[in-house]
């Protein structure tokens, strides 16, 4: 792995794909050391579907502090828990880093999915709120299938209502958000003018939650900060009911489209 990245750095590559390579924490740590400093020109690193844990995420987070070029990092489909998420969130909030795109999809970070008994749930929730409300430069955050539920939605709602931070796209698919979580989340997003794309597929959201999201979209439109993409496939409501809720909220079909399937 080290030779692969070293070679690509020397050749001036801007993207490195290390997905499905059977990488373990020590390999990621070696890669992190190569990402440090001004010599690195790589803009995107993909490490999904490996055997990485929080140790790897923590080391990669430290590397971001001295890296001025990396814009995208995918750590999807690994075994990164709450402590690794906290390490990454801390760096993104406290340091001026170049990262714009961060994907934690399919990692056991929150709620019942969490496997990290060393971290108190309030600590990880606090860092989630800070990452969304105070990160500078981060535009996409992928949290699909990370164990999000109502409690995490409350934190996200409060963070988005602050209308600070820089996140414009968030992926929350395949969690346990449900009607209540969607309703809570919609209240914060309604007061936000920065977020423009939201993915909520496969979250057990029914008519109540769908209607709440529809009202949020309408309110954002009226305020002049349109939510351009809301993707809700695979929930308890079919597409016709979703459009019906949108129309009931006063939106036309042209306001609803385009429905774009995002990264999660």
């Amino acid at each position: 792995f080290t030779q692969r990245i070293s070679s690509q750095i020397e050749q001036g590559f801007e993207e490195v794909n290390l997905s499905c390579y059977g990488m373990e924490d020590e390999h990621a740590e070696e890669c992190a050391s190569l990402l440090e400093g001004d010599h690195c020109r790589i803009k995107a690193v993909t490490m999904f579907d490996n055997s990485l844990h929080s140790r790897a995420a923590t080391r990669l987070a430290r590397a971001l502090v001295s890296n001025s070029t990396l814009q995208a990092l995918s750590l999807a489909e690994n075994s990164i828990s709450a402590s690794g998420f906290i390490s990454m969130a801390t760096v993104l909030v406290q340091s001026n880093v170049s990262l714009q795109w961060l994907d934690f999809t399919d990692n056991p970070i929150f709620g019942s999915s969490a496997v990290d008994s060393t971290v108190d749930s309030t600590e990880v929730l606090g860092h989630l709120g800070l990452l969304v409300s105070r990160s500078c430069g981060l535009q996409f955050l992928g949290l699909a299938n990370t164990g999000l539920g109502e409690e995490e939605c409350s934190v996200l709602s409060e963070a988005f209502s602050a209308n600070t931070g820089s996140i414009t796209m968030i992926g929350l698919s395949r969690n346990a958000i449900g009607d209540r979580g969607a309703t809570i989340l919609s209240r914060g997003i309604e007061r936000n003018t920065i977020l423009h794309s939201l993915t909520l597929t496969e979250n057990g959201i029914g008519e109540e939650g769908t209607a709440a999201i529809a009202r949020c979209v309408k309110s954002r439109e009226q305020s002049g900060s349109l939510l351009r993409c809301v993707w809700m496939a695979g929930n308890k409501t079919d597409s016709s009911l979703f459009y019906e809720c949108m129309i009931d909220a006063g939106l036309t079909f042209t306001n609803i489209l385009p429905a774009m399937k995002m990264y999660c």
Side-chain angles (χ1 to χ4, degrees), residues 184-232:
I184 292 170
L185 187 62
S186 70
R187 294 170 188 154
I189 293 176
E190 184 176 346
R191 293 189 286 270
N192 184 281
T193 61
I194 300 167
L195 187 77
H196 62 64
S197 296
L198 172 67
T199 309
L200 290 169
T201 60
E202 299 180 46
N203 265 294
I205 299 171
E207 185 172 357
E208 179 185 345
T210 301
I213 294 296
R215 290 192 296 270
C216 170
V217 173
K218 177 60 178 178
S219 178
R220 287 281 300 266
E221 180 196 32
Q222 292 175 329
S223 68
S225 58
L226 184 64
L227 254 176
R228 298 202 298 266
C229 170
V230 180
W231 188 257
M232 294 187 67

Side-chain angles (χ1 to χ4, degrees), residues 11 38 69 71 98 116 122 131 141 173 178 183-184 238 247 258:
Q11 295 177 56
D38 295 332
T69 60
Q71 298 175 6
S98 57
D116 197 336
T122 57
L131 180 59
L141 178 60
S173 300
T183 301
I184 292 170
D238 57 23
I247 292 169

Side-chain angles (χ1 to χ4, degrees), residues 62-259:
R62 290 205 306 270
L64 292 176
V65 176
S66 61
N67 181 293
S68 60
T69 60
L70 191 66
Q71 298 175 6
L73 176 62
S74 174
L75 297 172
E77 296 185 45
N78 282 288
S79 298
I80 298 168
S81 58
S83 59
F85 175 82
I86 288 172
S87 295
M88 191 67 69
T90 299
V91 166
L92 290 174
V93 170
Q94 295 182 357
S95 304
N96 183 21
V97 301
S98 57
L99 201 67
Q100 300 174 13
W101 197 96
L102 177 61
D103 192 3
F104 273 113
T105 293
D106 293 324
N107 281 284
I109 298 172
F110 306 103
S112 59
S113 296
V115 297
D116 197 336
S117 59
T118 64
V119 177
D120 186 87
S121 62
T122 57
E123 185 178 2
V124 68
L125 289 173
H127 281 80
L128 173 63
L130 288 173
L131 180 59
V132 172
S133 64
R134 291 178 52 188
S135 60
C136 181
L138 188 66
Q139 296 178 19
F140 171 78
L141 178 60
L143 295 175
N145 194 28
T146 54
L148 291 167
E150 289 182 21
E151 192 172 20
E152 289 77 17
C153 284
S154 294
V155 172
L156 287 171
S157 181
E158 183 177 353
F160 278 123
S161 68
N163 203 29
T164 52
S166 55
I167 293 175
T168 60
M169 302 178 286
I170 191 164
L172 304 176
S173 300
R174 294 181 287 121
N175 283 295
I177 290 175
D179 279 329
R180 182 169 171 78
T183 301
I184 292 170
L185 187 62
S186 70
R187 294 170 188 154
I189 293 176
E190 184 176 346
R191 293 189 286 270
N192 184 281
T193 61
I194 300 167
L195 187 77
H196 62 64
S197 296
L198 172 67
T199 309
L200 290 169
T201 60
E202 299 180 46
N203 265 294
I205 299 171
E207 185 172 357
E208 179 185 345
T210 301
I213 294 296
R215 290 192 296 270
C216 170
V217 173
K218 177 60 178 178
S219 178
R220 287 281 300 266
E221 180 196 32
Q222 292 175 329
S223 68
S225 58
L226 184 64
L227 254 176
R228 298 202 298 266
C229 170
V230 180
W231 188 257
M232 294 187 67
N235 281 292
K236 292 182 178 179
T237 54
D238 57 23
S239 58
S240 62
L241 182 55
F242 175 65
Y243 287 126
E244 183 179 326
C245 288
M246 290 292 184
I247 292 169
D248 287 344
L251 292 162
T252 65
F253 281 96
T254 53
N255 296 129
I256 300 166
L257 299 175

